[in-house]
C-alpha cells in the first residue's frame, strides 16, 4: 500500500509538471489516501492516531505553501476522520504511557497531541489568512479547527484533573480560552469559552 502511494505521488508530481490539473488532483487524492491508510497496517491503533495528528498540520502547510486547495481539503477530511476515530475508539483505550517517569493514560496523551495538532492548523490558517485572500472553505475550516482544539483540551482536562478540582479546571480553561479569543479578535473562540464555562456551571450544580 505504501509502495502504491509513492507511485501515485510520483505520478502526481509528473502531472503537476505537465500542467494536467485534473489528473494531478485525482493522483494526489489517491496518493495521500494510500499513504495515510498504510499507517494502520503497520502500527497499533493509538500509534496510528498520533502519526495522523502529526501528518495533519504538515498536509495543511503544503496546501498553503503550494496554494493547492486539494491538500487543504484532504487535511480537513483527515481532521474529521481523526475526531470520529478519537471519540468512538481512542478515548476508550486502556493502558498507560510512561513519559519522564510520569504515567499518563493513552487517551489523555492523544487528547493533548490532538489539541497541539488542531491548534497548529488553526494557527496556520490565521497566518496565511493575513497574507492573502482565502476562500469561504478556509474560513470555515479555521473555525472547526479551533473548535476541535477546544474539545481535545477539554477532554484532556477531564482525564488529568481530579474530580474534586474539575469544576475549577474547566473554569480556568474557559477563562484562558476567552482571553485567547479576545487577544486574537476571534468571536468564535469566545463562544467556545462560554460553552466550556456553561459545562463547568452544570458540573458545579449537579
Amino acid at each position: 500500500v505504501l509502495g502504491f502511494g509513492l507511485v501515485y505521488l510520483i505520478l502526481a508530481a509528473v502531472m503537476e509538471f505537465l500542467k494536467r490539473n485534473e489528473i494531478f488532483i485525482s493522483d494526489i487524492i489517491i496518493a495521500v489516501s494510500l499513504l495515510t491508510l498504510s499507517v494502520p497496517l503497520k502500527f497499533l491503533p493509538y500509534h496510528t492516531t498520533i502519526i495522523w495528528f502529526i501528518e495533519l498540520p504538515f498536509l495543511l502547510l503544503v496546501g498553503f505553501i503550494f496554494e493547492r486547495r486539494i491538500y487543504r481539503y484532504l487535511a480537513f477530511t483527515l481532521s474529521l476522520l481523526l475526531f470520529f476515530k478519537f471519540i468512538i475508539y481512542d478515548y476508550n483505550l486502556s493502558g498507560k504511557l510512561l513519559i519522564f517517569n510520569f504515567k499518563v493514560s493513552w487517551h489523555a496523551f492523544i487528547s493533548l497531541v490532538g489539541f497541539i495538532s488542531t491548534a497548529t492548523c488553526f494557527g496556520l490558517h490565521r497566518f496565511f489568512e493575513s497574507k492573502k485572500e482565502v476562500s469561504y472553505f478556509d474560513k470555515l475550516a479555521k473555525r472547526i479547527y479551533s473548535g476541535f482544539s477546544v474539545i481535545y483540551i477539554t477532554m484532556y482536562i477531564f482525564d488529568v484533573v481530579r474530580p474534586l478540582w474539575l469544576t475549577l479546571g474547566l473554569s480556568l480553561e474557559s477563562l484562558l480560552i476567552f482571553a485567547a479569543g479576545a487577544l486574537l479578535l476571534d468571536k468564535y473562540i469566545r463562544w467556545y469559552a462560554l460553552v466550556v464555562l456553561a459545562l463547568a456551571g452544570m458540573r458545579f450544580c449537579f
Side-chain angles (χ1 to χ4, degrees), residues 3-172:
F4 274 117
L6 293 174
V7 168
Y8 272 100
L9 192 62
I10 295 171
L11 290 174
V14 173
M15 292 302 107
E16 172 78 355
F17 178 76
L18 296 176
K19 305 299 183 183
R20 303 288 295 276
N21 190 58
E22 294 81 5
I23 303 178
F24 163 79
I25 291 175
S26 63
D27 284 347
I28 201 64
I29 290 174
I30 296 173
V32 172
S33 299
L34 289 174
L35 292 173
T36 301
L37 293 175
S38 69
V39 175
L41 299 179
K42 177 66 177 175
F43 297 96
L44 294 173
Y46 33 86
H47 293 153
T48 295
T49 305
I50 299 299
I51 293 171
W52 282 354
F53 270 128
I54 295 172
E55 175 189 353
L56 177 60
F58 283 103
L59 193 59
L60 184 65
L61 181 62
V62 169
F64 278 119
I65 291 176
F66 292 100
E67 297 184 351
R68 282 285 190 175
R69 289 187 183 180
I70 185 60
Y71 291 107
R72 306 202 290 275
Y73 293 157
L74 289 170
F76 183 72
T77 303
L78 180 60
S79 71
L80 294 177
L81 175 64
L82 278 165
F83 178 73
F84 288 114
K85 182 178 185 297
F86 175 79
I87 295 296
I88 296 172
Y89 183 79
D90 293 327
Y91 193 72
N92 298 316
L93 285 173
S94 59
K96 300 285 186 179
L97 177 67
L98 190 64
I99 303 177
F100 300 115
N101 294 322
F102 291 100
K103 286 186 177 180
V104 182
S105 65
W106 267 110
H107 43 80
F109 181 69
I110 292 173
S111 300
L112 183 59
V113 174
F115 164 72
I116 295 172
S117 177
T118 50
T120 302
C121 290
F122 170 76
L124 288 173
H125 272 281
R126 290 273 307 186
F127 176 78
F128 285 99
E129 188 180 69
S130 64
K131 299 291 183 181
K132 55 190 174 183
E133 191 70 25
V134 295
S135 65
Y136 174 78
F137 168 80
D138 290 312
K139 294 179 181 178
L140 178 63
K142 181 187 71 171
R143 298 166 193 164
I144 293 177
Y145 282 132
S146 62
F148 280 165
S149 63
V150 170
I151 292 173
Y152 287 130
I153 196 61
T154 303
M155 288 186 167
Y156 176 76
I157 289 173
F158 267 97
D159 277 326
V160 300
V161 177
R162 293 172 55 195
L164 180 65
W165 300 104
L166 186 55
T167 301
L168 177 61
L170 291 173
S171 301
L172 292 176

Side-chain angles (χ1 to χ4, degrees), residues 193-204:
L194 295 177
V195 172
V196 175
L197 184 61
L199 184 62
M202 289 177 62
R203 192 182 186 287
F204 176 79

